[in-house]
Short mmCIF file of all heavy atoms in Angstrom, two decimals:
data_model
loop_
_atom_site.label_atom_id
_atom_site.label_comp_id
_atom_site.label_asym_id
_atom_site.label_seq_id
_atom_site.Cartn_x
_atom_site.Cartn_y
_atom_site.Cartn_z
N VAL X 350 -71.55 -50.52 -113.09
CA VAL X 350 -70.97 -49.77 -111.98
C VAL X 350 -71.98 -49.71 -110.84
O VAL X 350 -73.16 -49.44 -111.06
CB VAL X 350 -70.59 -48.35 -112.44
CG1 VAL X 350 -70.14 -47.49 -111.26
CG2 VAL X 350 -69.48 -48.43 -113.47
N LYS X 351 -71.51 -49.98 -109.62
CA LYS X 351 -72.44 -50.08 -108.50
C LYS X 351 -72.73 -48.72 -107.86
O LYS X 351 -73.88 -48.33 -107.73
CB LYS X 351 -71.84 -50.99 -107.42
CG LYS X 351 -71.79 -52.46 -107.79
CD LYS X 351 -71.57 -53.29 -106.52
CE LYS X 351 -71.37 -54.76 -106.87
NZ LYS X 351 -69.96 -55.06 -107.21
N SER X 352 -71.66 -48.04 -107.44
CA SER X 352 -71.87 -46.87 -106.57
C SER X 352 -72.29 -45.65 -107.36
O SER X 352 -71.80 -45.38 -108.47
CB SER X 352 -70.58 -46.56 -105.81
OG SER X 352 -70.72 -45.32 -105.16
N ILE X 353 -73.17 -44.86 -106.75
CA ILE X 353 -73.64 -43.62 -107.36
C ILE X 353 -72.48 -42.66 -107.57
O ILE X 353 -72.54 -41.77 -108.42
CB ILE X 353 -74.74 -43.00 -106.46
CG1 ILE X 353 -75.53 -41.95 -107.22
CG2 ILE X 353 -74.15 -42.43 -105.18
CD1 ILE X 353 -76.83 -41.60 -106.58
N ARG X 354 -71.36 -42.86 -106.85
CA ARG X 354 -70.20 -41.98 -107.00
C ARG X 354 -69.63 -42.03 -108.42
O ARG X 354 -69.04 -41.07 -108.90
CB ARG X 354 -69.10 -42.38 -106.03
CG ARG X 354 -69.43 -42.07 -104.59
CD ARG X 354 -68.29 -42.45 -103.67
NE ARG X 354 -68.63 -42.15 -102.29
CZ ARG X 354 -67.88 -42.49 -101.25
NH1 ARG X 354 -66.75 -43.14 -101.46
NH2 ARG X 354 -68.25 -42.19 -100.03
N TYR X 355 -69.77 -43.19 -109.05
CA TYR X 355 -69.15 -43.36 -110.37
C TYR X 355 -70.17 -43.65 -111.47
O TYR X 355 -69.81 -43.97 -112.58
CB TYR X 355 -68.11 -44.49 -110.30
CG TYR X 355 -67.18 -44.32 -109.13
CD1 TYR X 355 -67.26 -45.17 -108.03
CD2 TYR X 355 -66.29 -43.26 -109.10
CE1 TYR X 355 -66.44 -44.97 -106.92
CE2 TYR X 355 -65.47 -43.05 -107.98
CZ TYR X 355 -65.55 -43.91 -106.91
OH TYR X 355 -64.76 -43.70 -105.82
N ARG X 356 -71.47 -43.54 -111.11
CA ARG X 356 -72.49 -43.82 -112.13
C ARG X 356 -72.78 -42.58 -112.95
O ARG X 356 -72.35 -41.46 -112.60
CB ARG X 356 -73.78 -44.32 -111.47
CG ARG X 356 -73.60 -45.66 -110.77
CD ARG X 356 -74.90 -46.34 -110.57
NE ARG X 356 -75.52 -46.72 -111.82
CZ ARG X 356 -76.53 -47.59 -111.92
NH1 ARG X 356 -77.03 -48.15 -110.83
NH2 ARG X 356 -77.04 -47.88 -113.10
N GLY X 357 -73.54 -42.76 -114.03
CA GLY X 357 -73.86 -41.66 -114.94
C GLY X 357 -74.77 -40.64 -114.26
O GLY X 357 -75.46 -40.93 -113.28
N LEU X 358 -74.78 -39.43 -114.83
CA LEU X 358 -75.60 -38.35 -114.30
C LEU X 358 -77.08 -38.76 -114.31
O LEU X 358 -77.84 -38.43 -113.41
CB LEU X 358 -75.39 -37.09 -115.14
CG LEU X 358 -76.08 -35.82 -114.65
CD1 LEU X 358 -75.51 -35.42 -113.29
CD2 LEU X 358 -75.91 -34.70 -115.66
N GLY X 359 -77.49 -39.52 -115.35
CA GLY X 359 -78.88 -39.94 -115.48
C GLY X 359 -79.36 -40.70 -114.26
O GLY X 359 -80.46 -40.47 -113.76
N TYR X 360 -78.51 -41.59 -113.75
CA TYR X 360 -78.92 -42.37 -112.59
C TYR X 360 -79.06 -41.49 -111.36
O TYR X 360 -80.00 -41.64 -110.58
CB TYR X 360 -77.92 -43.51 -112.31
CG TYR X 360 -78.38 -44.41 -111.19
CD1 TYR X 360 -79.37 -45.35 -111.41
CD2 TYR X 360 -77.86 -44.28 -109.91
CE1 TYR X 360 -79.83 -46.16 -110.38
CE2 TYR X 360 -78.30 -45.08 -108.87
CZ TYR X 360 -79.30 -46.02 -109.11
OH TYR X 360 -79.75 -46.80 -108.09
N LYS X 361 -78.13 -40.55 -111.21
CA LYS X 361 -78.18 -39.67 -110.03
C LYS X 361 -79.48 -38.86 -110.04
O LYS X 361 -80.17 -38.76 -109.02
CB LYS X 361 -76.98 -38.71 -110.04
CG LYS X 361 -75.66 -39.43 -109.88
CD LYS X 361 -74.49 -38.46 -109.93
CE LYS X 361 -73.19 -39.26 -109.99
NZ LYS X 361 -72.00 -38.44 -110.04
N ILE X 362 -79.80 -38.30 -111.22
CA ILE X 362 -81.02 -37.49 -111.31
C ILE X 362 -82.25 -38.37 -111.10
O ILE X 362 -83.16 -38.03 -110.34
CB ILE X 362 -81.09 -36.79 -112.70
CG1 ILE X 362 -79.95 -35.77 -112.80
CG2 ILE X 362 -82.44 -36.11 -112.90
CD1 ILE X 362 -79.79 -35.17 -114.19
N ALA X 363 -82.27 -39.55 -111.75
CA ALA X 363 -83.43 -40.44 -111.65
C ALA X 363 -83.67 -40.86 -110.20
O ALA X 363 -84.81 -40.86 -109.72
CB ALA X 363 -83.25 -41.66 -112.54
N LEU X 364 -82.60 -41.20 -109.50
CA LEU X 364 -82.76 -41.65 -108.11
C LEU X 364 -83.25 -40.50 -107.23
O LEU X 364 -84.11 -40.70 -106.35
CB LEU X 364 -81.44 -42.21 -107.57
CG LEU X 364 -81.52 -42.83 -106.18
CD1 LEU X 364 -82.48 -44.01 -106.15
CD2 LEU X 364 -80.14 -43.26 -105.68
N ALA X 365 -82.73 -39.28 -107.49
CA ALA X 365 -83.18 -38.13 -106.71
C ALA X 365 -84.68 -37.89 -106.96
O ALA X 365 -85.46 -37.68 -106.02
CB ALA X 365 -82.38 -36.90 -107.10
N ILE X 366 -85.08 -37.93 -108.25
CA ILE X 366 -86.50 -37.72 -108.57
C ILE X 366 -87.35 -38.81 -107.91
O ILE X 366 -88.40 -38.54 -107.33
CB ILE X 366 -86.72 -37.71 -110.10
CG1 ILE X 366 -86.06 -36.47 -110.71
CG2 ILE X 366 -88.21 -37.74 -110.45
CD1 ILE X 366 -86.13 -36.42 -112.22
N PHE X 367 -86.86 -40.04 -107.98
CA PHE X 367 -87.61 -41.17 -107.40
C PHE X 367 -87.84 -40.94 -105.90
O PHE X 367 -88.95 -41.14 -105.39
CB PHE X 367 -86.83 -42.47 -107.63
CG PHE X 367 -87.52 -43.69 -107.10
CD1 PHE X 367 -88.69 -44.15 -107.69
CD2 PHE X 367 -87.00 -44.40 -106.03
CE1 PHE X 367 -89.33 -45.29 -107.22
CE2 PHE X 367 -87.64 -45.53 -105.54
CZ PHE X 367 -88.80 -45.97 -106.14
N ALA X 368 -86.80 -40.50 -105.21
CA ALA X 368 -86.94 -40.26 -103.77
C ALA X 368 -87.94 -39.14 -103.50
O ALA X 368 -88.78 -39.24 -102.60
CB ALA X 368 -85.58 -39.94 -103.16
N ILE X 369 -87.86 -38.07 -104.30
CA ILE X 369 -88.79 -36.93 -104.10
C ILE X 369 -90.22 -37.38 -104.41
O ILE X 369 -91.16 -37.05 -103.67
CB ILE X 369 -88.36 -35.74 -104.99
CG1 ILE X 369 -87.02 -35.20 -104.52
CG2 ILE X 369 -89.42 -34.65 -104.97
CD1 ILE X 369 -86.37 -34.25 -105.50
N VAL X 370 -90.39 -38.15 -105.49
CA VAL X 370 -91.72 -38.63 -105.86
C VAL X 370 -92.31 -39.50 -104.75
O VAL X 370 -93.48 -39.37 -104.38
CB VAL X 370 -91.65 -39.42 -107.20
CG1 VAL X 370 -92.89 -40.28 -107.41
CG2 VAL X 370 -91.47 -38.47 -108.36
N PHE X 371 -91.47 -40.37 -104.19
CA PHE X 371 -91.92 -41.24 -103.10
C PHE X 371 -92.39 -40.40 -101.92
O PHE X 371 -93.44 -40.66 -101.33
CB PHE X 371 -90.76 -42.16 -102.68
CG PHE X 371 -91.15 -43.26 -101.73
CD1 PHE X 371 -91.88 -44.36 -102.18
CD2 PHE X 371 -90.80 -43.20 -100.40
CE1 PHE X 371 -92.24 -45.38 -101.32
CE2 PHE X 371 -91.16 -44.22 -99.52
CZ PHE X 371 -91.88 -45.30 -99.99
N PHE X 372 -91.63 -39.35 -101.61
CA PHE X 372 -91.99 -38.46 -100.51
C PHE X 372 -93.31 -37.73 -100.81
O PHE X 372 -94.20 -37.68 -99.96
CB PHE X 372 -90.86 -37.46 -100.27
CG PHE X 372 -91.17 -36.45 -99.21
CD1 PHE X 372 -91.06 -36.79 -97.87
CD2 PHE X 372 -91.57 -35.17 -99.55
CE1 PHE X 372 -91.36 -35.86 -96.88
CE2 PHE X 372 -91.86 -34.23 -98.56
CZ PHE X 372 -91.76 -34.58 -97.22
N LEU X 373 -93.44 -37.20 -102.03
CA LEU X 373 -94.66 -36.43 -102.36
C LEU X 373 -95.89 -37.34 -102.41
O LEU X 373 -96.98 -36.95 -102.00
CB LEU X 373 -94.48 -35.70 -103.70
CG LEU X 373 -93.51 -34.52 -103.66
CD1 LEU X 373 -93.34 -33.93 -105.05
CD2 LEU X 373 -94.00 -33.44 -102.69
N LEU X 374 -95.71 -38.57 -102.93
CA LEU X 374 -96.82 -39.52 -102.90
C LEU X 374 -97.25 -39.76 -101.45
O LEU X 374 -98.44 -39.85 -101.14
CB LEU X 374 -96.41 -40.85 -103.55
CG LEU X 374 -96.48 -40.91 -105.07
CD1 LEU X 374 -95.84 -42.20 -105.58
CD2 LEU X 374 -97.91 -40.82 -105.58
#
Side-chain angles (χ1 to χ4, degrees):
Chain X
V350 173
K351 290 196 186 84
S352 170
I353 196 163
R354 289 182 180 173
Y355 311 109
R356 295 200 66 165
L358 185 64
Y360 185 77
K361 295 178 189 180
I362 294 172
L364 185 62
I366 292 176
F367 181 69
I369 294 167
V370 163
F371 190 73
F372 177 78
L373 289 176
L374 278 171

